[in-house]
PDB file of all heavy atoms in Angstrom:
ATOM      1  N   GLN A 109      -6.150 -54.000 -20.105  1.00  0.00           N
ATOM      2  CA  GLN A 109      -6.830 -55.090 -20.799  1.00  0.00           C
ATOM      3  C   GLN A 109      -8.073 -55.449 -20.009  1.00  0.00           C
ATOM      4  O   GLN A 109      -8.024 -55.597 -18.786  1.00  0.00           O
ATOM      5  CB  GLN A 109      -5.925 -56.313 -20.946  1.00  0.00           C
ATOM      6  CG  GLN A 109      -6.607 -57.491 -21.629  1.00  0.00           C
ATOM      7  CD  GLN A 109      -5.681 -58.684 -21.785  1.00  0.00           C
ATOM      8  OE1 GLN A 109      -4.511 -58.627 -21.419  1.00  0.00           O
ATOM      9  NE2 GLN A 109      -6.203 -59.769 -22.324  1.00  0.00           N
ATOM     10  N   VAL A 110      -9.199 -55.597 -20.712  1.00  0.00           N
ATOM     11  CA  VAL A 110     -10.454 -55.905 -20.043  1.00  0.00           C
ATOM     12  C   VAL A 110     -11.288 -56.789 -20.959  1.00  0.00           C
ATOM     13  O   VAL A 110     -11.273 -56.631 -22.183  1.00  0.00           O
ATOM     14  CB  VAL A 110     -11.225 -54.611 -19.669  1.00  0.00           C
ATOM     15  CG1 VAL A 110     -11.584 -53.815 -20.900  1.00  0.00           C
ATOM     16  CG2 VAL A 110     -12.461 -54.923 -18.852  1.00  0.00           C
ATOM     17  N   GLU A 111     -11.992 -57.743 -20.367  1.00  0.00           N
ATOM     18  CA  GLU A 111     -12.909 -58.601 -21.106  1.00  0.00           C
ATOM     19  C   GLU A 111     -14.304 -57.961 -21.077  1.00  0.00           C
ATOM     20  O   GLU A 111     -14.768 -57.528 -20.024  1.00  0.00           O
ATOM     21  CB  GLU A 111     -12.958 -60.009 -20.494  1.00  0.00           C
ATOM     22  CG  GLU A 111     -11.619 -60.720 -20.465  1.00  0.00           C
ATOM     23  CD  GLU A 111     -11.093 -61.035 -21.851  1.00  0.00           C
ATOM     24  OE1 GLU A 111     -11.906 -61.441 -22.704  1.00  0.00           O
ATOM     25  OE2 GLU A 111      -9.882 -60.866 -22.080  1.00  0.00           O
ATOM     26  N   HIS A 112     -14.947 -57.930 -22.242  1.00  0.00           N
ATOM     27  CA  HIS A 112     -16.268 -57.294 -22.331  1.00  0.00           C
ATOM     28  C   HIS A 112     -17.231 -58.234 -23.040  1.00  0.00           C
ATOM     29  O   HIS A 112     -16.928 -58.763 -24.115  1.00  0.00           O
ATOM     30  CB  HIS A 112     -16.173 -55.978 -23.098  1.00  0.00           C
ATOM     31  CG  HIS A 112     -17.465 -55.239 -23.190  1.00  0.00           C
ATOM     32  ND1 HIS A 112     -18.121 -54.737 -22.088  1.00  0.00           N
ATOM     33  CD2 HIS A 112     -18.246 -54.922 -24.270  1.00  0.00           C
ATOM     34  CE1 HIS A 112     -19.239 -54.129 -22.464  1.00  0.00           C
ATOM     35  NE2 HIS A 112     -19.336 -54.239 -23.789  1.00  0.00           N
ATOM     36  N   ARG A 113     -18.393 -58.453 -22.423  1.00  0.00           N
ATOM     37  CA  ARG A 113     -19.408 -59.337 -23.000  1.00  0.00           C
ATOM     38  C   ARG A 113     -20.330 -58.537 -23.908  1.00  0.00           C
ATOM     39  O   ARG A 113     -20.816 -57.467 -23.529  1.00  0.00           O
ATOM     40  CB  ARG A 113     -20.210 -60.024 -21.892  1.00  0.00           C
ATOM     41  CG  ARG A 113     -21.140 -61.124 -22.412  1.00  0.00           C
ATOM     42  CD  ARG A 113     -21.734 -61.936 -21.279  1.00  0.00           C
ATOM     43  NE  ARG A 113     -22.594 -62.996 -21.764  1.00  0.00           N
ATOM     44  CZ  ARG A 113     -22.162 -64.180 -22.181  1.00  0.00           C
ATOM     45  NH1 ARG A 113     -20.860 -64.443 -22.166  1.00  0.00           N
ATOM     46  NH2 ARG A 113     -23.005 -65.102 -22.610  1.00  0.00           N
ATOM     47  N   LEU A 114     -20.584 -59.079 -25.100  1.00  0.00           N
ATOM     48  CA  LEU A 114     -21.375 -58.396 -26.105  1.00  0.00           C
ATOM     49  C   LEU A 114     -22.803 -58.911 -26.126  1.00  0.00           C
ATOM     50  O   LEU A 114     -23.088 -60.037 -25.702  1.00  0.00           O
ATOM     51  CB  LEU A 114     -20.752 -58.598 -27.494  1.00  0.00           C
ATOM     52  CG  LEU A 114     -19.303 -58.140 -27.681  1.00  0.00           C
ATOM     53  CD1 LEU A 114     -18.782 -58.598 -29.034  1.00  0.00           C
ATOM     54  CD2 LEU A 114     -19.189 -56.632 -27.540  1.00  0.00           C
ATOM     55  N   GLN A 115     -23.677 -58.084 -26.645  1.00  0.00           N
ATOM     56  CA  GLN A 115     -25.044 -58.474 -26.951  1.00  0.00           C
ATOM     57  C   GLN A 115     -25.149 -58.724 -28.450  1.00  0.00           C
ATOM     58  O   GLN A 115     -24.430 -58.115 -29.241  1.00  0.00           O
ATOM     59  CB  GLN A 115     -26.032 -57.376 -26.529  1.00  0.00           C
ATOM     60  CG  GLN A 115     -25.965 -57.013 -25.056  1.00  0.00           C
ATOM     61  CD  GLN A 115     -26.431 -58.144 -24.151  1.00  0.00           C
ATOM     62  OE1 GLN A 115     -27.334 -58.896 -24.505  1.00  0.00           O
ATOM     63  NE2 GLN A 115     -25.821 -58.266 -22.985  1.00  0.00           N
ATOM     64  N   GLU A 116     -26.058 -59.598 -28.850  1.00  0.00           N
ATOM     65  CA  GLU A 116     -26.216 -59.870 -30.272  1.00  0.00           C
ATOM     66  C   GLU A 116     -26.645 -58.600 -30.999  1.00  0.00           C
ATOM     67  O   GLU A 116     -27.506 -57.853 -30.531  1.00  0.00           O
ATOM     68  CB  GLU A 116     -27.236 -60.975 -30.501  1.00  0.00           C
ATOM     69  CG  GLU A 116     -27.310 -61.427 -31.952  1.00  0.00           C
ATOM     70  CD  GLU A 116     -28.152 -62.665 -32.149  1.00  0.00           C
ATOM     71  OE1 GLU A 116     -28.818 -63.090 -31.180  1.00  0.00           O
ATOM     72  OE2 GLU A 116     -28.151 -63.207 -33.265  1.00  0.00           O
ATOM     73  N   GLY A 117     -26.008 -58.338 -32.130  1.00  0.00           N
ATOM     74  CA  GLY A 117     -26.274 -57.111 -32.875  1.00  0.00           C
ATOM     75  C   GLY A 117     -25.167 -56.096 -32.662  1.00  0.00           C
ATOM     76  O   GLY A 117     -24.020 -56.436 -32.350  1.00  0.00           O
ATOM     77  N   ASP A 118     -25.504 -54.823 -32.825  1.00  0.00           N
ATOM     78  CA  ASP A 118     -24.519 -53.746 -32.709  1.00  0.00           C
ATOM     79  C   ASP A 118     -24.241 -53.416 -31.248  1.00  0.00           C
ATOM     80  O   ASP A 118     -25.158 -53.300 -30.431  1.00  0.00           O
ATOM     81  CB  ASP A 118     -25.013 -52.484 -33.424  1.00  0.00           C
ATOM     82  CG  ASP A 118     -25.040 -52.657 -34.936  1.00  0.00           C
ATOM     83  OD1 ASP A 118     -24.354 -53.576 -35.432  1.00  0.00           O
ATOM     84  OD2 ASP A 118     -25.730 -51.876 -35.609  1.00  0.00           O
ATOM     85  N   ASN A 119     -22.949 -53.258 -30.925  1.00  0.00           N
ATOM     86  CA  ASN A 119     -22.507 -52.865 -29.590  1.00  0.00           C
ATOM     87  C   ASN A 119     -21.603 -51.647 -29.719  1.00  0.00           C
ATOM     88  O   ASN A 119     -20.596 -51.689 -30.440  1.00  0.00           O
ATOM     89  CB  ASN A 119     -21.731 -53.998 -28.910  1.00  0.00           C
ATOM     90  CG  ASN A 119     -22.581 -55.225 -28.644  1.00  0.00           C
ATOM     91  OD1 ASN A 119     -23.042 -55.446 -27.540  1.00  0.00           O
ATOM     92  ND2 ASN A 119     -22.786 -56.047 -29.682  1.00  0.00           N
TER      93      ASN A 119
END
Side-chain angles (χ1 to χ4, degrees):
Q109 178 179 358
V110 62
E111 301 294 319
H112 182 64
R113 189 170 181 83
L114 302 172
Q115 302 293 326
E116 187 171 9
D118 291 341
N119 295 260

